[in-house]
Amino acid sequence: MKILLDCGAGALHRLAQFGLPWHDVTHVIVSHFHPDHWGELPMLVYALKYTTVPPRTDPLVVLGPPGVVRLVKKLAEGYGPWLLDPGFPIGILDVRDREPFPLDGDVSLETFPVPHTPESVALSLTAPEGRLVYTGDTGPSRDLARWASGADLLLAECSLPADQAIDIHLTPEQAGELARDAGVRRLVLTHFYPPVETSDPARAAGARFKGGAIAAARDGDRFTIGGGGK
Ligand SMILES: [Zn+2]
Ligand SMILES: [Zn+2]
């Protein structure tokens, strides 16, 4: 099983550039409907349709909050019917939040509503090796901290610097507070707008998540859960 959490602009080229087996993706899980989180999904399906040798027969499963089925059907009105019938089975499912959704015998997905857009959810994957929580896009949320409690790795957005804080995104400091309040083992920061990208978000988050393991993710970084190390 190979899972993509969101599939924004540039994702496909980056996967190829870093030598990751994007042909073998089995699941795409969408956190919300802003295009920086799904924009390359049609390109992924198109590439799987035309560049897989021999032709793909394995199904592709697309999961997201309620409305993702409608979103992909609407996209197919513009892109073409191949998006829903690419020559291999494609299953698109709305996932209800706060209910474990088994992806196979070992790995379970759960989603949790977050303050960003009405449909936005954070994503949790639990496997025998441990638990990954990805915030998607979110504002500060005590409920999210409780739900993420004890995660082995928290992949948290931090879009904006503290002097531009808004209710529907996190600052690095707020991402640090989320990691602290949830008591996670490791915090990985992502989703930087330029003012954050050109600063030192790990340091800012570290001021609130003292002593915690923190990394500011760069494209191509790899993190392992359960095996130790990066
Ligand atoms: Zn968003
Ligand atoms: Zn976003």
Side-chain angles (χ1 to χ4, degrees):
M1 187 163 48
K2 293 192 167 46
I3 304 168
L4 263 184
L5 302 183
D6 285 335
C7 190
L12 190 53
H13 283 83
R14 285 303 219 188
L15 289 169
Q17 181 182 355
F18 293 118
L20 292 165
W22 60 270
H23 280 113
D24 299 332
V25 166
T26 56
H27 297 73
V28 179
I29 308 175
V30 176
S31 64
H32 66 294
F33 303 154
H34 281 155
D36 56 320
H37 296 258
W38 61 258
E40 201 127 292
L41 175 63
M43 310 311 151
L44 174 67
V45 175
Y46 202 68
L48 290 174
K49 175 176 173 60
Y50 284 114
T51 71
T52 308
V53 181
R56 181 182 176 115
T57 55
D58 292 338
L60 179 70
V61 178
V62 178
L63 304 171
V68 73
V69 173
R70 183 172 179 275
L71 170 72
V72 179
K73 284 183 174 169
K74 283 282 175 195
L75 290 173
E77 289 177 14
Y79 282 102
W82 56 265
L83 187 56
L84 298 171
D85 185 16
F88 52 85
I90 184 164
I92 310 160
L93 283 170
D94 291 349
V95 175
R96 274 192 286 190
D97 58 58
R98 288 177 270 206
E99 289 181 15
F101 186 98
L103 300 182
D104 69 3
D106 283 335
V107 181
S108 182
L109 166 71
E110 197 174 315
T111 67
F112 189 82
V114 291
H116 181 65
T117 58
E119 80 284 0
S120 290
V121 289
L123 307 172
S124 162
L125 290 173
T126 303
E129 293 83 359
R131 179 173 178 228
L132 164 71
V133 171
Y134 163 50
T135 62
D137 285 359
T138 184
S141 164
R142 291 198 163 280
D143 292 337
L144 174 60
R146 267 192 291 277
W147 180 75
S149 175
D152 295 280
L153 195 156
L154 173 66
L155 178 61
E157 76 119 297
C158 63
S159 303
L160 294 165
D163 62 358
Q164 296 177 28
I166 56 175
D167 290 342
I168 59 166
H169 279 298
L170 297 178
T171 66
E173 290 82 355
Q174 289 167 334
E177 288 168 5
L178 177 63
R180 178 196 67 202
D181 295 347
V184 302
R185 293 183 63 155
R186 184 171 207 182
L187 170 64
V188 177
L189 303 168
T190 187
H191 200 281
F192 310 129
Y193 285 11
V196 170
E197 189 155 44
T198 53
S199 71
D200 186 351
R203 186 156 167 261
R208 307 291 168 86
F209 185 41
K210 288 197 168 69
I214 307 178
R218 293 157 305 176
D219 289 359
D221 280 353
R222 299 178 190 212
F223 300 90
T224 303
I225 293 176
K230 185 171 173 180

